[in-house]
Amino acid sequence: ARGPGPRLPGSAPASAPATSPPSSPHPDAVERRRQAVMRREARRAARQCLELHRHRWWELRRLPNLHTSVEGEAGLRAAAAEAAARGRRVVVEVFHPDCEPCKRSYLKTLEVAAANGGVDFVFLDAGTAGPWCQAIGAQHLPYFVELDTRGADPAAPVDGGSTHLEDVGVRQGQALDIPPSAKAMDPARYCAMGEYEPTSQHPPDLLYITLQALLS
């Protein structure tokens, strides 16, 4: 068999086929590659969950005291009246579907709601209740406010709201129970490497897949 013919003057040598650089066998590199695969698969599973079940991100996790289908001021008033009849406190989180800070605080809200089973937590889309949100001063999202379910107007705020869930009920001496796990959740770093990354001892769970859905 003949080999390649002589090159023309001034021509560049034939380039070798492109090959991927060899993967590093170092344990840290192996672990990073494993985590990348886990994140990719978790995001794929999260996207399938959202598409197949038509879930919205604030509906990914279900709790008995978490109400995510309330729309508009009329829906809020109905939920407040029902809670008032049952003698329950109501905390409203005003959010917007495209609000990144709202997504970052979602996991923390879930943790607090799970630790306060005697309180109803209501997600209210600011786009469906603009006038009410303006009336209570919800200028920055997410915005948390407790309703006066013992007063004449159950949908009226007990006091001024806050952009921090920890502030709810403090002035009335009825602060929410904020578990250490929720306090450790820094919304500004919810997607940072290492914050909520699974390990070989703690593989991806529902919370991790939920987190990936928020990032998708």
Side-chain angles (χ1 to χ4, degrees):
R2 293 185 178 181
R7 288 190 291 114
L8 296 176
S11 63
S15 58
T19 58
S20 301
S23 299
S24 171
H26 191 280
D28 290 345
V30 172
E31 177 62 16
R32 285 194 296 270
R33 290 196 297 272
R34 185 188 67 82
Q35 289 186 355
V37 172
M38 295 171 73
R39 285 195 299 273
R40 184 171 63 248
E41 291 303 310
R43 287 179 179 171
R44 181 181 60 80
R47 284 194 296 270
Q48 288 181 345
C49 176
L50 290 173
E51 293 170 0
L52 293 177
H53 300 286
R54 298 181 181 180
H55 284 165
R56 297 173 293 188
W57 64 258
W58 60 96
E59 297 175 334
L60 284 169
R61 300 283 292 276
R62 302 298 177 93
L63 295 173
N65 61 330
L66 192 65
H67 305 274
T68 59
S69 59
V70 175
E71 293 189 3
E73 183 175 347
L76 176 65
R77 290 190 173 278
E82 180 181 350
R86 295 184 292 132
R88 292 177 63 86
R89 296 172 63 187
V90 174
V91 173
V92 178
E93 177 174 342
V94 182
F95 77 103
H96 190 274
D98 297 329
C99 169
E100 285 300 320
C102 299
K103 293 182 179 181
R104 289 196 290 269
S105 70
Y106 176 65
L107 296 179
K108 187 172 186 176
T109 301
L110 290 177
E111 290 281 324
V112 175
N116 294 267
V119 180
D120 285 344
F121 288 79
V122 175
F123 278 85
L124 180 66
D125 184 350
T128 68
W132 186 86
C133 295
Q134 292 179 4
I136 66 169
Q139 298 181 352
H140 302 283
L141 303 180
Y143 192 78
F144 304 92
V145 63
E146 182 172 357
L147 301 184
D148 188 9
T149 53
R150 297 183 179 180
D153 182 3
V158 173
D159 203 345
S162 173
T163 54
H164 300 286
L165 190 53
E166 294 89 339
D167 295 338
V168 173
V170 172
R171 294 181 181 179
Q172 294 77 37
Q174 294 183 319
L176 297 171
D177 179 15
I178 311 294
S181 57
K183 291 180 180 179
M185 287 184 173
D186 181 0
R189 290 181 53 79
Y190 82 122
C191 59
M193 274 290 295
E195 286 295 314
Y196 306 110
E197 289 295 324
T199 64
S200 56
Q201 291 78 24
H202 301 283
D205 57 8
L206 184 56
L207 184 147
Y208 183 74
I209 292 179
T210 300
L211 171 62
Q212 297 305 323
L214 300 180
L215 297 174
S216 298

